[in-house]
Amino acid sequence: PIIYASSGNDMKNTTAAVNAKSGRNDPCPCGSGKKYKACCLKQAEVAARPVQPSVNDALTQAWQAVARRDMVGTLHGFRQVLAIQPKHAEALAGLGQALCWQQQRREGLAYLQQAARQLEIDAQQTRNIRFILELAEQLHHWGDLDTALKLTELAVNLEPANPAALNNRALYLTRVNRFEEALPFASKVC
């Protein structure tokens, strides 16, 4: 409830002052005759709680921070997404990449690998090979060719005729000197 105190024609919101003075077992300041805890306390607590952003809002804020090159905002945004949805592959990958760029490679790679595991789980439903290949590139860039290879294999299994999947599979196989295995994928692209 909002209680107003009038002084002449001026009305002033005194909810915060009343809530600060009202004890749980005191009569409710709204005049209902009930105890404050049984009447208006819950509404006051809900009004005082900070609003948690949605996953999409937090993710948007994180990517906007990336675009601004705001590393503090980037890390905060991706961590905020993960606080709401801990297995969010895009946020795991974004946080991992940001940490790697901050010279926290070990911690960053752990997040990138966690994102890869989550993508493997989600792959049959989402079938988003673009994100799978982007994550494979990030892992390759930061030196984890084994996980990058697994992701390219997943991408080829999901879309066997996709040129980007075939090309990346061939590329990463050659990076680990598995030329014989790479040839069939490379020949399908050419």
Side-chain angles (χ1 to χ4, degrees), residues 27-172:
C28 189
C30 75
S32 68
K34 297 179 183 178
K35 288 185 178 182
Y36 182 54
K37 68 181 178 185
C39 189
C40 295
L41 177 63
K42 287 181 184 176
Q43 292 173 344
E45 288 174 343
V46 168
R49 270 188 228 144
V51 177
Q52 187 177 33
S54 71
V55 169
N56 289 338
D57 290 344
L59 196 58
T60 299
Q61 291 172 1
W63 287 119
Q64 288 172 347
V66 168
R68 291 189 312 271
R69 298 178 187 260
D70 170 11
M71 196 52 65
V72 172
T74 298
L75 295 171
H76 173 75
F78 288 127
R79 284 189 171 123
Q80 196 171 30
V81 172
L82 295 173
I84 301 166
Q85 191 176 337
K87 294 181 179 180
H88 194 283
E90 187 178 348
L92 289 165
L95 180 57
Q97 185 75 347
L99 288 167
C100 285
W101 283 112
Q102 289 293 300
Q103 278 71 50
Q104 296 176 41
R105 187 168 173 256
R106 181 176 288 148
E107 186 181 358
L109 272 171
Y111 279 103
L112 290 169
Q113 292 161 347
Q114 196 175 347
R117 286 189 298 275
Q118 191 60 43
L119 275 180
E120 289 178 44
I121 293 166
D122 298 344
Q124 292 303 320
Q125 290 179 343
T126 62
R127 304 191 70 82
N128 183 357
I129 71 157
R130 180 192 58 81
F131 185 43
I132 292 169
L133 293 174
E134 286 176 5
L135 182 56
E137 273 184 53
Q138 290 177 26
L139 286 157
H140 172 242
H141 178 81
W142 295 109
D144 185 355
L145 281 170
D146 291 336
T147 308
L149 274 168
K150 286 179 188 175
L151 288 178
T152 59
E153 181 179 16
L154 175 63
V156 168
N157 288 338
L158 289 172
E159 290 190 31
N162 185 294
L166 294 167
N167 187 53
N168 281 314
R169 181 74 177 150
L171 173 69
Y172 297 149

